[in-house]
Amino acid sequence: MSDLDLAAVRAFVAVADFGHFGEAAAELGITQQAVSRRIAKLEARYGTVLLSRLRSGTTLSKEGAAFLPHARNLLAVADQTVDMLRGKRLPLRVDVLDTRVTSTELVRRFHATTNIGLEIVTSRGLRDARESLKAGTVDAAFARVIGSLDQDGIAAIPAYLEASQVLVNVEHPLAKRSSVAMRELSGTRIWMPGNEPGSEWAEFYDRVADEFGLHIDTSGPDFGWEYFVGRFAELPDTVGLVGALVALPRHSRVVRVPIDPPVPSYLCSLLWHRRKPHSALPELIEYVRRGYQPPRAAAVWLPEADRRLAM
């Protein structure tokens, strides 16, 4: 039984990622002919065709598409083994946006299941995470996906859905309610000073506002979660929206009210760079895959692009 040639497997994955032998060769630091020879040898040894070579580029065959996830896992384990042998196992650096958001708790639970070293990084969401993943300064990130990430070599899978809740002062008429329908909020001013222009969360709540007839007030400045909750404690008429799982500072004069289905729900995804995987990344990806539960379509409201990813 012959052993797999890891150099050939690495060449195959590079071509699968780039779609061209020339770009794969540049990424690997070898000639295009060397890439072609390695993959041809791999195909000949196992009697299969992994790539379809076309004038416009290279695509995966049916066998190549089936082999690709196994090839990625094989390389990740090999890289992890090399790190261990060199005594240089670097921590898995994960961008979580903010330590109070749900992704931080997800990463904490993952850490409790493994001995992988972790380093938490906070940033300004997808805009920073995209560049950090491309540069290799973080290994994974949690963010809501807007637009295509393929051109940047970034992969994503849904990580969790977070229902929105209404945030009000205890004296507000909604405070005594067990739940509220979004149609009842039509025309309401929603104060969300943290909705930074250009952010994926601001874009989400703008879509929610358009769908349900809300007026989003982003006047600030944004002084953080404690200030945010404190203002609701002081202003009986103010209404806000917040993720149901966000670890807000507790305040006796501020309550959360659940929303009736369909609930506006925020889809957060796990992102990573296909060509710069940390050796421990497959474990995090598998953990997230196992934990994600697709929603019942009627239970949630999502922008159409988010719905396609979530289901």
Side-chain angles (χ1 to χ4, degrees):
M1 185 174 181
S2 58
D3 293 330
L4 277 170
D5 180 349
L6 288 180
V9 174
R10 200 174 297 277
F12 163 73
V13 171
V15 174
D17 286 340
F18 285 99
H20 292 86
F21 279 76
E23 293 183 27
E27 173 73 10
L28 296 173
I30 58 178
T31 66
Q32 184 171 333
Q33 290 76 15
V35 171
S36 182
R37 283 197 302 269
R38 289 180 184 182
I39 296 175
K41 184 178 178 181
L42 184 65
E43 292 175 320
R45 172 171 288 184
Y46 296 102
T48 188
V49 175
L50 299 173
L51 298 169
S52 299
R53 298 156 176 83
L54 308 172
R55 286 187 177 182
S56 57
T58 304
T59 61
L60 293 171
S61 68
K62 180 179 178 181
E63 292 78 8
F67 176 54
L68 183 59
H70 298 283
R72 292 195 194 283
N73 288 336
L74 179 64
L75 294 178
V77 171
D79 292 341
Q80 182 178 356
T81 302
V82 170
D83 288 345
M84 295 289 286
L85 290 173
R86 290 175 174 171
K88 291 169 54 179
R89 181 158 177 167
L90 300 176
L92 184 69
R93 304 190 81 230
V94 183
D95 186 324
V96 296
L97 178 64
D98 185 283
T99 56
R100 286 187 178 271
V101 300
T102 310
S103 50
T104 302
E105 176 61 17
L106 189 156
V107 175
R108 187 198 64 76
R109 293 197 304 268
F110 167 69
H111 183 253
T113 70
T114 180
N115 62 354
I116 293 171
L118 283 171
E119 184 176 338
I120 300 300
V121 178
T122 59
S123 73
R124 293 167 59 245
L126 181 63
R127 293 164 295 175
D128 286 355
R130 185 195 299 262
E131 298 306 316
S132 297
L133 288 169
K134 287 164 61 178
T137 55
V138 299
D139 304 300
F142 288 90
R144 174 173 173 256
V145 174
I146 298 178
S148 174
L149 301 174
D150 290 341
Q151 69 273 20
D152 293 321
I154 296 173
I157 58 172
Y160 59 86
L161 267 173
E162 184 167 14
S164 297
Q165 290 184 332
V166 174
L167 192 70
V168 291
N169 184 284
V170 292
E171 296 179 13
H172 192 281
L174 294 176
K176 301 294 191 296
R177 297 277 298 275
S178 60
S179 64
V180 60
M182 286 300 296
R183 66 178 180 275
E184 298 178 74
L185 299 178
S186 180
T188 301
R189 167 186 168 269
I190 306 294
W191 187 54
M192 303 186 76
N195 281 15
E196 183 180 339
S199 67
E200 64 269 24
W201 59 91
E203 196 268 354
F204 170 78
Y205 282 109
D206 284 345
R207 288 177 176 267
V208 172
D210 290 342
E211 178 71 17
F212 297 101
L214 311 180
H215 301 291
I216 303 293
D217 177 5
T218 61
S219 61
D222 178 17
F223 288 116
W225 291 112
E226 286 77 9
Y227 175 81
F228 177 65
V229 173
R231 291 296 288 165
F232 279 89
E234 298 168 1
L235 302 172
D237 295 331
T238 301
V239 178
L241 290 174
V242 67
L245 302 176
V246 173
L248 286 182
R250 293 181 181 275
H251 199 294
S252 61
R253 296 191 56 77
V254 180
V255 297
R256 299 183 185 193
V257 183
I259 296 173
D260 294 332
V263 185
S265 298
Y266 192 89
L267 177 64
C268 187
S269 294
L270 171 66
L271 285 62
W272 69 93
H273 200 286
R274 292 188 181 94
R275 297 188 295 276
K276 298 176 181 177
H278 187 284
S279 57
L281 184 60
E283 290 186 52
L284 177 59
I285 294 172
E286 181 58 25
Y287 181 85
V288 170
R289 283 191 202 279
R290 289 199 312 267
Y292 180 72
Q293 298 292 328
R296 291 186 298 108
V300 299
W301 179 88
L302 292 159
E304 188 54 40
D306 297 55
R307 182 172 291 275
R308 289 194 297 270
L309 292 173
M311 303 299 182

